[in-house]
Amino acid sequence: DAKTTQPPSMDCAEGRAANLPCNHSTISGNEYVYWYRQIHSQGPQYIIHGLKNNETNEMASLIITEDRKSSTLILPHATLRDTAVYYCIVRVDRDKIIFGKGTRLHILP
Amino acid sequence: DAGVIQSPRHEVTEMGQEVTLRCKPISGHNSLFWYRQTMMRGLELLIYFNNNVPIDDSGMPEDRFSAKMPNASFSTLKIQPSEPRDSAVYFCASSLGGEGRGYTFGSGTRLTVV
């Protein structure tokens, strides 16, 4: 199973872009990269996913390296409400998602 | 769309009692997942269903835990008898299934066993 590695915590100033890295060097060709976040006391929230190409939606952008061994989640203009734990996940099975420890992102006013 | 609905939001029970957690997935979703979250162990997948059939229950901690999905709009997670170490937040999630599909999580049930 492909595993992911994320820094345990990061800080970002409010209004700046938050760039959250993730390593997944053993990812296989048909596995997607997913990002979720969990704001305190809430259920995890889906953010974005991608296979090979970069992706953007109303919440964030996902940049996947050409060799697919790492990716970066970008929150373009971080606000205090973006303070959360961010999980990078590689889908190991068609219908199952396993969460790791994630990155605790602190947005500083 | 009301999202994934879990009940109760909070449950406090005494050790040895039976506890039943409930989940209503999003209409049309064909996969349902039960997760447990604690500070020590993080988010753990307990069991998941596809088209109401249990596919993988390898995360269920022991025989005291059981889950059912009698129809596409309802699932239960039961703990009998409950123990203090079962105290956690239990999340239910649903998905349309297949690659490229995100999960939608409920707000969770915070269980405290005293």
Side-chain angles (χ1 to χ4, degrees):
Chain A
D1 297 343
K3 297 285 192 287
T4 63
T5 303
Q6 298 178 253
S9 66
M10 290 182 62
D11 292 338
C12 178
E14 189 177 17
R16 298 288 195 136
N19 296 279
L20 293 92
C22 180
N23 288 319
H24 33 77
S25 58
T26 60
I27 191 171
S28 62
N30 61 350
E31 288 180 307
Y32 286 74
V33 179
Y34 284 79
W35 283 84
Y36 285 76
R37 74 180 182 183
Q38 187 174 24
I39 296 170
H40 182 62
S41 299
Q42 299 181 19
Q45 177 190 23
Y46 164 80
I47 301 173
I48 198 168
H49 72 276
L51 182 61
K52 295 180 181 178
N53 300 320
N54 298 338
E55 302 288 344
T56 296
N57 63 21
E58 66 278 4
M59 290 181 67
S61 295
L62 174 60
I63 308 298
I64 304 174
T65 58
E66 193 169 340
D67 63 7
R68 302 187 72 237
K69 292 185 177 181
S70 65
S71 61
T72 301
L73 179 74
I74 301 173
L75 307 178
H77 304 288
T79 71
L80 295 177
R81 289 175 295 180
D82 293 320
T83 293
V85 178
Y86 287 77
Y87 297 97
C88 169
I89 298 152
V90 170
R91 199 78 171 262
V92 299
D93 186 80
R94 181 176 172 82
D95 281 326
K96 185 165 69 174
I97 284 182
I98 306 298
F99 288 85
K101 297 185 186 304
T103 295
R104 187 171 296 277
L105 177 66
H106 300 276
I107 304 301
L108 307 175
Chain B
D1 187 351
V4 176
I5 300 173
Q6 292 187 244
S7 63
R9 288 297 309 275
H10 302 274
E11 176 81 35
V12 180
T13 190
E14 291 185 347
M15 182 174 62
Q17 296 297 308
E18 178 181 292
V19 176
T20 300
L21 311 181
R22 296 172 176 79
C23 176
K24 177 178 169 56
I26 289 175
S27 177
H29 282 191
N30 59 357
S31 296
L32 183 139
F33 309 82
W34 282 101
Y35 287 83
R36 177 174 69 175
Q37 186 171 34
T38 61
M39 288 290 291
M40 292 294 294
R41 301 175 68 90
L43 271 163
E44 302 173 275
L45 177 63
L46 301 178
I47 185 171
Y48 76 96
F49 296 82
N50 194 34
N51 293 321
N52 312 336
V53 176
I55 302 300
D56 184 348
D57 65 354
S58 59
M60 296 286 263
E62 47 196 278
D63 292 345
R64 298 184 297 107
F65 285 69
S66 63
K68 294 182 179 180
M69 191 164 186
N71 57 62
S73 59
F74 184 65
S75 176
T76 59
L77 179 67
K78 185 176 293 186
I79 308 172
Q80 166 64 15
S82 58
E83 297 182 2
R85 59 193 168 121
D86 302 330
S87 297
V89 181
Y90 291 80
F91 289 104
C92 175
S94 70
S95 167
L96 194 50
E99 286 294 354
R101 303 286 190 178
Y103 293 7
T104 301
F105 281 78
S107 299
T109 294
R110 181 174 296 275
L111 173 66
T112 303
V113 183
V114 298

